[in-house]
Amino acid sequence: MLPTPQAYSSFLIRFWWEPAEATSDGLWRATIEHIQSGEQQAIANVAVIAQFLVEHAGPNPILSPADQTLK
């Protein structure tokens, strides 16, 4: 049996290397996308990922700041 739309959310996280033209250095870039809505957000840190998941999928004990499993 397939999950109901209310109980299922799908996310895509993309990472890519963006070289800098002036130097040999570059930057890692990342985005997270909620597949059902198509909404995307740039990722600056892990906290952004957790907040995006909570906003789109609802509260989850593994994403709670008090939960020590995300260390």
Side-chain angles (χ1 to χ4, degrees):
M1 180 169 105
L2 293 175
T4 64
Q6 299 87 359
Y8 181 80
S9 290
S10 184
F11 298 90
L12 177 62
I13 298 175
R14 294 179 178 94
F15 291 91
W16 68 95
W17 177 256
E18 195 168 276
E21 293 181 21
T23 68
S24 60
D25 295 334
L27 295 172
W28 279 102
R29 303 283 186 186
T31 60
I32 185 169
E33 179 179 354
H34 180 239
I35 300 302
Q36 284 79 0
S37 69
E39 184 178 343
Q40 295 183 11
Q41 178 157 346
I43 297 172
N45 54 50
V46 175
V48 171
I49 297 171
Q51 184 62 37
F52 191 88
L53 293 172
V54 168
E55 289 173 1
H56 290 83
N60 186 313
I62 68 165
L63 298 174
S64 170
D67 186 6
Q68 299 302 308
T69 61
L70 293 178
K71 283 186 173 181

